[in-house]
Amino acid sequence: MPARADNARLAPQAHNALKHAAYSRAALLPDEDPAERRQLEEAYFDHFDPGSQPEVDAVRALVDLTWRRERINRAEAAMATHAVARAQDKLPAPLLGLVQEVHHLDVEVRLLTRTLELLRQAVASDRRPKETLQGVAPVLDRLLGWPGSVADLDPAQVVLDGDRALAARTAAVEFSRGTLRTLLAAAGPAFEAARAEASLLEPKMAARLLQERTTLSKAIERQMRLLRDLRGGTTFEGRILVAEGRIRDFHETRSAAPEAIETTGKAA
Amino acid sequence: MKLPHHRFLDYLLLLGLQDDEVVRMLELDDLVPPEPAELARARFDLADRPTPFRLMDQGHRPSQAWLMEKGVSGLLKDKPAAREALRILRSPVLRQPTEILLLGGHPPGLVLKFNLEHDLPAVSEDGVAHFQYYMWDIKHLATDDWAVFLRRHPEGEIYLEVLGHGSSKALTVADVFAARVKKAPVFTTLPGGVRGGGYIKPPPLFLPKAGPEPAPCEP
């Protein structure tokens, strides 16, 4: 249900651009469940058990970033499934299965693209292509399903054949997506919204979502490092944050009980 | 929730995969995917890598030492035993009996003997040991962790029973599983010569009604 209370301060026009909200920086969107968000936050706080204010801030930032990345995943899946799911009782089961399948295929194509890219870079720069192929072989074997292991093949050949397989799969995803749209169109005007949302899964949109997801993943990675550094206090940035936290703690304590500190000071 | 395939998960994370890609990859291998917070925790544990970090450079000592410490270097180096471990993971006939026997506390050597006795494809003892290390790390989970993990496992109830009753039960259940998977048709080439693979899911398992159960013992 909409979390009106949490977004009460946002002006109504702030939600004008909310079509799927994948790029929104808001902590909580109207259609997001505050309980789910709270649950994620609790899970993170339980896991990381922050001991100081800077650590608390770092964990909170981590939760924000992770929530935003989850939002992209959700938006991507929701684009095709949400509107369809609303009309679930009127839609035949194979159509719903197709929606799910399109999403799975999409993730698999992304996986294959990423893994082949690692290998392509190694081959192009001639930097340990064989070792790289060995490193990614468990994933490629699963995705490509060729007989034997790709680790036994020539890396350049794997890139070439892999690209062909990738092109075939991308075409298959496009085909499935097209079928989905056609089926939705054939289902009648009741599924106009579903068709519009399904059409959002076009390559340009998928690439933009991927870029946004990568940016957030990098930010999460940085935040993780920062958190680790805060605990170890090794980097300059980490030490600054620790110092800032201590100053803030000191001010808070002083504003809470000035006499106590003065007394302690005199005693010292 | 702790996962017995935590090292395989670490390996996927080290390749730089996104969360949903990691989850999909685990799903493709019929492994239980972690919750988002657990995934974040796993990422956090991998954040202390040395600088510079060269994942694929087998000659870079600091990176290799770190990978060995994390226990994932075998998967990156394509060791024969690690390849066999992946074969067990992806084999519809080998995986379940192997998991059950290891869960029951049997050593890899006995798994090998069991496979030979039941005409299952041959794998080396080292391969089974590597499977245990990367994908079925039973020592990583305490009894409570198993209870939580098996709640999300498709064969959770049966595995839980094996866990509760120890090695003899493991042998009985592995026998049933081995017989069941041998009956299921397995094919590696799709009709029309299309490369690919798959298997028809075996029928649901019905354990034979046994007499009085032996006293529970530790796995």
Side-chain angles (χ1 to χ4, degrees), chain B residues 33-123:
Chain B
E35 299 284 350
E38 292 148 11
L39 211 48
R41 178 76 197 180
R43 278 192 196 278
F44 178 76
D45 288 340
L46 295 173
D48 63 339
R49 59 194 81 168
T51 326
F53 180 65
R54 296 185 199 145
L55 180 67
M56 299 298 179
D57 187 351
Q58 290 176 16
H60 190 245
R61 283 192 181 183
S63 302
Q64 288 305 311
W66 184 83
L67 287 168
M68 280 190 77
E69 184 198 320
K70 295 288 169 191
V72 292
S73 66
L75 285 170
L76 288 156
K77 283 180 186 165
D78 187 40
K79 282 165 66 178
R83 199 187 276 202
E84 275 197 309
L86 284 163
R87 203 174 130 229
I88 297 172
L89 174 75
R90 289 162 187 175
S91 161
V93 281
L94 283 172
R95 180 166 162 188
Q96 283 175 333
T98 308
E99 282 182 350
I100 291 163
L101 290 171
L102 293 173
L103 190 63
H106 291 291
L110 192 128
V111 177
L112 195 67
K113 204 174 143 200
F114 179 90
N115 289 351
L116 286 173
E117 279 172 7
H118 289 77
D119 287 333
L120 294 176
V123 275

Side-chain angles (χ1 to χ4, degrees), chain A residues 40 43-44 47-48 66 69-70 73 76 101 103-105 107-108 110-111 114-115 118 128 131-132 134-139 141-143 145-147 149 151-152 210 213-214 217 220-221 224-225 227-228 231, chain B residues 1 8 11-12 15-22 24-25 27-30 36-41 43-51 54-59 70 75-78 83 86 90 195-197:
Chain A
L40 180 75
Y44 269 60
H47 265 308
F48 293 113
T66 311
R69 192 172 56 178
E70 280 299 305
N73 294 343
E76 203 173 35
E101 196 53 38
H103 180 61
H104 283 165
L105 282 170
V107 178
E108 282 166 36
R110 241 187 308 122
L111 250 169
R114 194 184 299 282
T115 324
L118 267 176
R128 301 174 186 83
E131 291 175 15
T132 308
Q134 287 177 359
V136 296
V139 175
D141 282 343
R142 174 82 267 183
L143 294 173
W146 293 345
S149 174
D152 299 330
L210 177 63
R213 194 191 283 115
T214 311
S217 292
I220 289 171
E221 200 88 15
M224 291 277 193
R225 278 180 184 276
L227 190 56
R228 186 171 278 279
R231 290 185 171 175
Chain B
M1 182 182 68
F8 190 61
Y11 159 76
L12 294 176
L15 287 184
L17 304 186
Q18 307 282 347
D19 287 2
D20 59 340
E21 292 165 356
V22 171
R24 184 68 196 139
M25 193 62 208
E27 280 172 358
L28 282 172
D29 277 327
D30 291 327
E38 292 148 11
L39 211 48
R41 178 76 197 180
R43 278 192 196 278
F44 178 76
D45 288 340
L46 295 173
D48 63 339
R49 59 194 81 168
T51 326
R54 296 185 199 145
L55 180 67
M56 299 298 179
D57 187 351
Q58 290 176 16
K70 295 288 169 191
L75 285 170
L76 288 156
K77 283 180 186 165
D78 187 40
R83 199 187 276 202
L86 284 163
R90 289 162 187 175
R195 277 198 293 194

Side-chain angles (χ1 to χ4, degrees), chain A residues 25-46:
Chain A
R25 292 184 175 210
L28 202 67
L29 294 173
D31 64 336
E32 287 175 345
D33 184 4
E36 205 181 318
R37 156 102 194 186
R38 210 164 33 244
Q39 204 179 347
L40 180 75
E41 198 163 317
E42 279 167 11
Y44 269 60
F45 274 83
D46 277 355

